[in-house]
Amino acid sequence: MTPIVVTGTDTGIGKTVFAAALTGALGAHYWKPVQAGLDEDGSGDADTVARLSGVAAAQILPNAWRLETPCSPHRAAEIDGVTIDPDALAPPSIEGPLVIEGAGGVMVPITRSCTFADLFARWRYPVVLVARTELGTINHSLLSIEALKARGVPLLGIVFIGEPHGENERIVPLLGEVRSLGRLPMLEAVTPGALARAMRDSIDIAAIEDAL
Ligand SMILES: Nc1ncnc2c1ncn2[C@@H]1O[C@H](COP(=O)(O)OP(=O)(O)OP(=O)(O)O)[C@@H](O)[C@H]1O
Ligand SMILES: [Mg+2]
């Protein structure tokens, strides 16, 4: 099965929450190759996905790189005195679906010569772009789509997160020539149950399964 990559138009827009919902819906494994910045208790996105997805702990794969500083991975690695080798960032081979989460947005550098978009271009796995619904998303989304397409990255679709915004949700897929997979609403409490329900009700999971 081909892995699915979850990337975003920005940092902090809901990639991990969507990746957790997708991991749960597919019964997938989850892998975040590069974690830059850890919470006070040493946890990162993988721990959030473990809590929210409902999959077995063994399905949450260890990061290839865990970097202390909450900044761009290329710089976080330099501060930690390590160099990430993009060629060595191959997804673990596992049975069944695998959800991979990037860090930050598509043009975030992993090294001084390689961005996440470049890495996705090497991999050629289908990519889901997560985008906000609010003001500013048209520009960020269309630029991200252009960057991915310019590198020949297969773009499976865009997932919006946030309050409904009909026009933004229409114009981005239209101008970006990309399929909308739906909009995950803002949840009052992000719990495993509420997230699984929102995913079932709002996202075209079948379209993602077709790409596996
Ligand atoms: N659908 C949602 N409903 C409510 N809160 C959400 C939703 N999606 C994301 N959030 C909240 O927004 C914040 C950022 O989300 P998340 O960590 O998923 O972003 P991210 O894009 O993965 O960030 P990073 O670039 O750090 O990996 C979190 O506090 C998360 O709980
Ligand atoms: Mg995240």
Side-chain angles (χ1 to χ4, degrees):
M1 268 183 182
T2 180
I4 300 281
V5 172
V6 175
T7 187
T9 56
D10 203 348
T11 186
I13 50 154
K15 292 185 301 294
T16 299
V17 168
F18 173 72
L22 183 59
T23 299
L26 299 176
H29 285 67
Y30 168 88
W31 185 49
K32 171 128 177 157
V34 182
Q35 173 73 49
L38 304 168
D39 292 342
E40 273 169 21
D41 60 0
S43 66
D45 284 356
D47 302 281
T48 304
V49 173
R51 182 168 52 79
L52 289 177
S53 65
V55 302
Q59 285 168 241
I60 309 296
L61 304 172
N63 307 125
W65 295 95
R66 282 173 76 77
L67 307 166
E68 291 283 333
T69 314
C71 67
S72 174
H74 83 284
R75 188 61 194 140
E78 288 173 352
I79 292 168
D80 283 7
V82 296
T83 306
I84 299 172
D85 177 4
D87 291 325
L89 276 181
S93 68
I94 49 102
E95 291 280 315
L98 172 66
V99 173
I100 303 175
E101 181 185 343
V106 298
M107 291 301 280
V108 162
I110 301 168
T111 68
R112 288 194 176 262
S113 59
C114 179
T115 64
F116 269 99
D118 297 329
L119 181 65
F120 301 154
R122 293 179 198 195
W123 284 351
R124 304 263 157 181
Y125 303 139
V127 167
V128 175
L129 179 68
V130 176
R132 295 177 297 117
T133 52
E134 291 93 42
L135 188 66
T137 197
I138 298 176
N139 183 52
H140 281 150
S141 300
L142 293 177
L143 286 171
S144 302
I145 292 165
E146 270 203 12
L148 292 169
K149 286 191 171 175
R151 289 167 177 75
V153 176
L155 191 51
L156 170 52
I158 186 164
V159 163
F160 291 98
I161 296 194
E163 301 302 330
H165 192 303
E167 184 49 26
N168 287 353
E169 292 172 57
R170 271 190 298 276
I171 193 72
V172 168
L174 181 72
L175 289 180
E177 296 181 11
V178 61
R179 167 167 47 182
S180 173
L181 299 167
R183 176 184 59 85
L184 209 53
M186 287 313 275
L187 302 171
E188 238 166 73
V190 187
T191 61
L195 184 58
R197 270 193 302 280
M199 184 74 179
R200 257 195 320 271
D201 294 345
S202 318
I203 302 297
D204 188 353
I205 299 168
I208 300 174
E209 282 174 326
D210 283 347
L212 290 174

